Amino acid sequence: MEIKADDLSGPEVKALLDEHLQHMIAVTPPGCVHALDYEALKSPEISFWTVWEGSSLLGCGALKKLSHDHAEIKSMRTATPHQGKGVASHLLQFILDEARKCNYRRVSLETGSFDAFLPARRLYEKFGFTYRKPFADYMHNNNSVFMTIEL
C-alpha cells in the first residue's frame, strides 16, 4: 500500500468521495452529516491523502488544522471492495505520524453514534482515541460521538 498526498483531481478520487458522502447521507439523519464535500476538502487548512495499490484506489483520509496544536481527522474512507484489508489502520497510522510531524499535540474527530459507525469507533479506540465533548464548531447531538488522542 502506498499513501500519496493528493490534489483531488483524479476521477477515482472523486468517485470515492461521492461514495463516502452518499453513504454518510444514507446512514445519518438529515442535518447531521458532517462529511466534507469534494470542494471543501480542497481548503488550504486540509491535507488530503489517498491509499493506492498499483493503480487501484484503496482509500482516503484528511487532516484539518484547527489550531497550532490541534487537528481533526476528516473523510476517512476505505473503498468498499477493499474493506477489511487493513487500509484504514495503515492510513490512520500515517495520518497520526503526519500530525506529529506538524507538531500537533492533539487530534480529534467526529463520527456517528449508530451501529454503521461501530467499525470506525473500534478502529479509533484501538489506536488510543478516547471519547470527549464536542470540539471546534460542533454541538452536542445524539447522532455524533467525538473522540480525541493526545500525541
Side-chain angles (χ1 to χ4, degrees):
M1 283 183 240
E2 180 182 3
I3 299 175
K4 303 177 184 179
D6 200 296
D7 64 3
L8 298 109
S9 64
E12 309 96 329
V13 175
K14 185 164 185 343
L16 180 59
L17 289 171
D18 287 344
E19 173 189 324
H20 176 62
L21 195 54
Q22 291 306 310
H23 182 254
M24 296 300 101
I25 290 168
V27 299
T28 307
C32 296
V33 176
H34 299 291
L36 298 177
D37 66 22
Y38 184 73
E39 290 302 319
L41 285 166
K42 294 180 179 180
S43 177
E45 72 269 8
I46 296 177
S47 299
F48 183 81
W49 299 277
T50 48
V51 184
W52 298 84
E53 193 166 68
S55 61
S56 295
L57 177 60
L58 307 182
C60 65
L63 190 65
K64 178 181 180 181
K65 180 180 182 176
L66 299 176
S67 71
H68 73 282
D69 66 349
H70 189 196
E72 177 183 8
I73 292 177
K74 298 296 294 180
S75 300
M76 282 278 295
R77 180 70 178 189
T78 300
T80 302
H82 302 289
Q83 291 177 353
K85 297 179 181 178
V87 175
S89 291
H90 187 67
L91 180 58
L92 182 56
Q93 184 62 62
F94 176 87
I95 290 173
L96 293 175
D97 290 344
E98 289 296 307
R100 287 181 184 94
K101 289 178 190 175
C102 293
N103 295 315
Y104 293 123
R105 291 188 300 147
R106 183 174 34 158
V107 174
S108 300
L109 61 92
E110 177 276 338
T111 191
S113 62
F114 307 109
D115 287 346
F117 296 94
L118 185 59
R121 293 192 309 269
R122 285 187 177 150
L123 171 71
Y124 296 127
E125 289 169 354
K126 181 176 92 172
F127 273 77
F129 281 80
T130 57
Y131 292 90
R132 61 163 295 159
K133 294 179 181 177
F135 62 96
D137 295 332
Y138 292 106
M139 304 288 287
H140 174 76
N141 70 74
N142 292 331
N143 303 308
S144 293
V145 296
F146 305 94
M147 303 178 80
T148 197
I149 187 170
E150 301 291 328
L151 301 178

